[in-house]
Amino acid sequence: MAPPKRTILVTSALPYANGSIHLGHLVEYIQTDIWVRFQKMRGHDCLYVCADDAHGTPIMVRAQDEGISPEALVERFGAEHRSDFAEFGIAFDNYYTTHSPENRHFANLIYQRLKNAGHITSRVIEQAFDPEKQLFLPDRFIKGECPRCGSPDQYGDSCEVCGATYSPTDLKNPVSVLSGAKPIYKESEHYFFKLQDFEQMLRTWIRGGHLQVEVINKLDEWFAQGLREWDISRDAPYFGFEIPDTKNKYFYVWLDAPIGYMASFKHLCERTGLDFDAYWGEHSAAELYHFIGKDILYFHALFWPAMLTGANFRKPTAIFIHGFLTVNGQKMSKSRGTFITARTYLKHLNPEYLRYYFAAKLNSRVEDLDLNLDDFVARVNSDLIGKLVNIASRCAGFINQRFAGRLAEALPEPALYQRFANARHVIAEHYEAREYGRAIREVMTLADEANQYINDRQPWVLAKQSGKDHDLQAICTQGLNLFRALAIYLKPVLPRTVAGAEAFLDVEPFFWDASATPLLTHTIKPFEHLLTRVEHTAVEALLTDTKEELTTMKNTSSSASPLSADPIAAEINYDEFAKVDLRVARITKAEHVDGADKLLRLTLDLGGEMRTVFAGIKSAYAPEDLEGRLTVMVANLAPRKMRFGVSEGMVLAAGPGGQDLWLLAPDEGAPPGSRVK
């Protein structure tokens, strides 16, 4: 019995229109696309919309650096994003931009409704201002010394070393990332959304089955701190929508970005005649799902439902949160050649291979997904080539050559096929629950059974024996029907490959329950290879290409670019510098620090004296990669008490930060404790 027909609207987080799509982004869009394709195969009315996130200071500044308008920059990246998504089979029903008349309409409407209901307030605040660029600086465009632990080169909102959060005005020795100038502080009136007005509603909502259990504890931390008013305005110059009835005040990008879901759907409604209110109205019976990364949980699980409630729109049915992508067990890294863009991948490998690999490892939990490139090659070759495609290639030739492409009238083992057909129910449950890895395991277990069936019946032997044509046709018909069932179950993951299977079998596009009935007395077309093996050389070429592209980008970028230039600190004299005692140290132990996103705890040997140092290098190094290595440390730095313990020195590293960070390493012959000159 078919399930009741559902009305579903699905969104993915909006990619920022300031850079290329990379494999980390694709985890989310592939996960979402698989779910949407599955729902459509089940016969549900399921729509998938998305858009480019097109506003904010970074886009404005990059456009200025390139000498073009923000609109031109957004249009360029929008075209690139659409092309990349299409190549990876991401089938949006509508892909739009937040810089649109529909988004302006809904941003203004929601703001006005919130204001009329008393949920908007304003007050004068003090902000950092770049005197050279003549603009107010967002938190991430200011760097300085942490007011708690004194660590240098920290952003204006939080310290990556000790975990402190603070206001940009609290930073010591702040500088503008844009110009290197020391910010001045100016007063400005800002507008705030009173999030605290919705605390009770939010406490109830987050426990109403709308979120994964593991994220609720994180949200509880914010409730414990007390919900605060949210600054929803920014001062000119700013690329975005001007706030109604104000002058030179603009909506903060994070206000109109989620509204982009509504705007993109409205654009779809205008093209197709759909009823907008049937999906977004306060009493809508449609299902609404957002797929997002764990880094934007705060905006989607607190601000967004509060805004919708205050403006008399419906809230999401559920928000599905996923983890990040690692490559070979580590964060994506430009220096290691693993910060791979979608476009670079497409030069070397079939996009459906990545869809399959991600699906095989995805589940419904908020866990990071690792792209192990050796495992990637082995799994694709084993599962897709050695198992799935192998079934069809072993049977189709006999049907085409000996029986003019005609399948038999009956299956020799209908019970075997029935078990394959019945498997659609449990596989459907796994897809519905976003347990794609379980679905893939079920399919591949069946694929093993199908191959074993063919191995046992040996059609290539029967083909050489007289009087065995009836058995040969029946066995190959059985094998092709088992292949067909597996292709149906993999269609959400491998849409293009399965389209090739549909063409080869000469059938209409598969729907989910098509496997309930076998394909008999039907003429198929000649078999053509659906997939080819992945070679390690292709993966090696991909990594080489990625590194070369990074080098080209560095060589062609302007060395004076304010976005890439780190400001030079105040001068010191030689006597001051001579006080710094640099020593060779061996890292005898490295370990994660509970509760710290950036820190590793290092135990250092200075030639018999042991030191503990907390280093903000977790983004670039795994602990196991550090143990036994020599490095350089500041040995006479005063111990500093941190939230996680006492740090007794500082290791030296170079690089722009994040994943591109390199520990300074002395000659391997240098003994621990020796001075570095």
Side-chain angles (χ1 to χ4, degrees):
M1 181 176 172
K5 194 169 186 177
R6 296 156 60 186
T7 301
I8 307 170
L9 176 60
V10 180
T11 77
S12 297
L14 312 185
Y16 201 47
N18 194 33
S20 298
I21 300 298
H22 57 68
L23 299 197
H25 292 129
L26 286 170
V27 171
E28 178 170 310
Y29 302 99
I30 288 173
Q31 182 191 37
T32 314
D33 185 75
I34 290 171
W35 200 79
V36 170
R37 287 179 181 274
F38 164 71
Q39 300 297 347
K40 290 183 176 183
M41 284 185 71
R42 297 272 275 176
H44 300 310
D45 289 330
C46 185
L47 299 170
Y48 182 18
V49 302
C50 195
D52 270 347
D53 183 2
H55 290 154
T57 301
I59 285 175
M60 178 184 71
V61 171
R62 177 162 184 168
Q64 289 174 349
D65 286 350
E66 295 189 14
I68 60 177
S69 69
E71 290 85 354
L73 183 73
V74 167
E75 183 176 350
R76 187 180 83 209
F77 276 114
E80 180 184 311
H81 292 174
R82 285 177 170 86
S83 175
D84 288 347
F85 285 138
E87 289 287 342
F88 277 91
I90 313 299
F92 300 110
D93 290 283
N94 196 68
Y95 193 86
Y96 205 35
T97 172
T98 58
H99 192 63
S100 68
E102 293 89 348
N103 206 36
R104 184 191 297 272
H105 164 77
F106 283 111
N108 289 348
L109 177 64
I110 288 174
Y111 169 78
Q112 202 62 56
R113 287 182 178 179
L114 293 174
K115 182 179 179 182
N116 292 343
H119 302 305
I120 301 294
T121 186
S122 65
R123 64 176 179 272
V124 174
I125 64 171
E126 192 176 58
Q127 282 185 284
F129 185 83
D130 188 322
E132 294 188 15
K133 287 289 185 178
Q134 287 295 297
L135 56 78
F136 285 99
L137 293 168
D139 298 348
R140 288 268 148 172
F141 280 69
I142 311 168
K143 282 190 173 183
E145 297 170 11
C146 171
R148 177 190 286 178
C149 71
S151 294
D153 203 34
Q154 299 304 309
Y155 286 113
D157 56 353
S158 63
C159 177
E160 295 181 338
V161 176
C162 73
T165 58
Y166 40 76
S167 167
T169 56
D170 297 329
L171 272 181
K172 297 177 182 177
N173 301 317
V175 293
S176 166
V177 172
L178 296 178
S179 67
K182 181 178 181 179
I184 61 175
Y185 290 90
K186 298 178 66 173
E187 289 188 340
S188 174
E189 183 180 21
H190 270 229
Y191 294 82
F192 296 82
F193 171 51
K194 297 197 289 187
L195 182 64
Q196 65 272 26
D197 289 355
F198 300 90
E199 179 171 343
Q200 190 53 53
M201 179 277 291
L202 289 170
R203 284 182 179 272
T204 301
W205 185 79
I206 67 172
R207 284 175 168 76
H210 308 289
L211 300 164
Q212 290 116 302
V213 174
E214 60 261 47
V215 305
I216 295 176
N217 291 338
K218 183 62 180 177
L219 293 171
D220 282 339
E221 293 178 14
W222 284 313
F223 285 117
Q225 296 171 4
L227 298 184
R228 305 173 184 174
E229 293 178 344
W230 178 38
D231 189 345
I232 61 169
S233 62
R234 293 295 184 267
D235 292 280
Y238 191 82
F239 183 56
F241 296 139
E242 196 164 15
I243 299 176
D245 303 320
T246 68
K247 185 177 181 181
N248 293 329
K249 305 290 181 182
Y250 292 81
F251 286 126
Y252 175 40
V253 60
W254 262 111
L255 181 129
D256 69 61
I259 294 173
Y261 302 142
M262 304 173 76
S264 184
F265 182 68
K266 180 64 174 177
H267 187 250
L268 178 64
C269 291
E270 292 167 349
R271 290 196 296 109
T272 62
L274 285 165
D275 181 0
F276 178 88
D277 291 333
Y279 290 80
W280 284 99
E282 191 172 13
H283 303 293
S284 167
E287 301 172 48
L288 172 62
Y289 299 100
H290 300 311
F291 285 74
I292 65 165
K294 62 184 179 181
D295 54 328
I296 53 176
L297 170 65
Y298 190 74
F299 295 102
H300 281 81
L302 294 180
F303 291 134
W304 181 229
M307 284 169 53
L308 290 168
T309 300
N312 301 322
F313 289 107
R314 58 86 48 82
K315 294 183 287 295
T317 305
I319 301 174
F320 299 140
I321 301 103
H322 62 83
F324 297 143
L325 177 70
T326 58
V327 179
N328 293 335
Q330 298 178 313
K331 289 186 177 181
M332 292 173 62
S333 167
K334 293 177 180 177
S335 63
R336 289 189 292 268
T338 58
F339 195 90
I340 304 167
T341 66
R343 187 53 44 186
T344 305
Y345 176 98
L346 290 168
K347 293 178 183 177
H348 301 277
L349 294 165
N350 186 331
E352 298 235 310
Y353 294 160
L354 190 72
R355 288 179 65 101
Y356 179 78
Y357 189 79
F358 281 176
K361 304 193 80 172
L362 276 165
N363 57 45
S364 62
R365 298 180 294 282
V366 189
E367 296 178 350
D368 291 350
L369 185 156
D370 184 52
L371 170 58
N372 181 290
L373 293 170
D374 289 334
D375 181 53
F376 169 81
V377 173
R379 186 175 298 224
V380 167
N381 289 341
S382 172
D383 289 2
L384 298 185
I385 313 302
K387 295 182 182 181
L388 179 69
V389 174
N390 193 44
I391 301 168
S393 65
R394 297 167 89 187
C395 298
F398 295 118
I399 294 293
N400 286 127
Q401 295 164 17
R402 301 284 286 268
F403 308 103
R406 190 73 172 173
L407 298 177
E409 296 180 357
L411 297 177
E413 297 192 37
L416 173 61
Y417 181 79
Q418 192 59 49
R419 285 197 293 104
F420 273 56
N422 291 343
R424 71 187 187 278
H425 302 301
V426 67
I427 295 170
E429 290 174 3
H430 293 327
Y431 275 125
E432 179 68 42
R434 306 179 321 286
E435 292 287 348
Y436 302 160
R438 292 185 178 184
I440 295 299
R441 287 193 292 274
E442 291 281 349
V443 172
M444 285 302 133
T445 298
L446 294 174
D448 285 335
E449 192 170 348
N451 278 291
Q452 188 61 51
Y453 170 82
I454 297 168
N455 286 343
D456 292 344
R457 303 311 185 273
Q458 296 183 315
W460 52 90
V461 174
L462 291 176
K464 298 176 182 178
Q465 299 175 357
S466 62
K468 295 292 186 179
D469 279 2
H470 178 272
D471 292 341
L472 177 63
Q473 185 184 26
I475 289 169
C476 290
T477 296
Q478 179 93 32
L480 288 174
N481 269 279
L482 300 182
F483 166 78
R484 171 175 167 267
L486 301 179
I488 291 169
Y489 305 150
L490 287 174
K491 185 173 180 177
V493 179
L494 304 171
R496 289 178 186 162
T497 301
V498 174
E502 291 165 344
F504 145 62
L505 294 171
D506 198 20
V507 294
E508 294 295 318
F510 295 139
F511 58 95
W512 188 256
D513 286 330
S515 62
T517 305
L519 192 65
L520 302 170
T521 59
H522 174 83
T523 302
I524 65 172
K525 293 183 176 180
F527 177 76
E528 296 181 2
H529 288 293
L530 298 172
L531 296 168
T532 57
R533 289 178 57 84
V534 182
E535 301 298 336
H536 282 281
T537 53
V539 174
E540 292 166 1
L542 168 63
L543 298 180
T544 299
D545 202 357
T546 299
K547 290 179 179 179
E548 289 176 353
E549 287 181 356
L550 174 64
T551 301
T552 301
M553 284 170 47
K554 287 181 176 179
N555 291 340
T556 57
S557 62
S558 169
S559 60
S561 170
L563 282 176
S564 60
D566 281 327
I568 297 174
E571 287 184 355
I572 61 172
N573 59 41
Y574 180 80
D575 290 337
E576 291 173 304
F577 174 72
K579 294 177 182 178
V580 180
D581 188 356
L582 301 180
R583 298 277 176 155
V584 176
R586 185 176 299 280
I587 303 171
T588 63
K589 187 176 182 181
E591 53 194 326
H592 295 291
V593 180
D594 290 341
D597 294 333
K598 306 294 183 182
L599 293 180
L600 293 178
R601 181 188 288 106
L602 306 180
T603 301
L604 304 177
D605 179 2
L606 275 78
E609 180 184 354
M610 307 302 289
R611 297 277 189 92
T612 297
V613 170
F614 292 92
I617 58 174
K618 187 175 179 179
S619 61
Y621 292 95
E624 58 269 21
D625 295 334
L626 294 172
E627 293 184 359
R629 287 185 52 171
L630 294 177
T631 189
V632 178
M633 73 170 295
V634 180
N636 64 333
L637 186 67
R640 185 170 74 237
K641 186 175 182 180
M642 302 173 65
R643 180 156 60 101
F644 309 102
V646 177
S647 187
E648 302 171 307
M650 177 183 292
V651 296
L652 301 186
Q659 297 156 342
D660 295 328
L661 195 63
W662 298 276
L663 283 179
L664 297 193
D667 182 85
E668 283 297 318
S674 58
R675 187 183 295 273
V676 178
K677 296 183 178 180

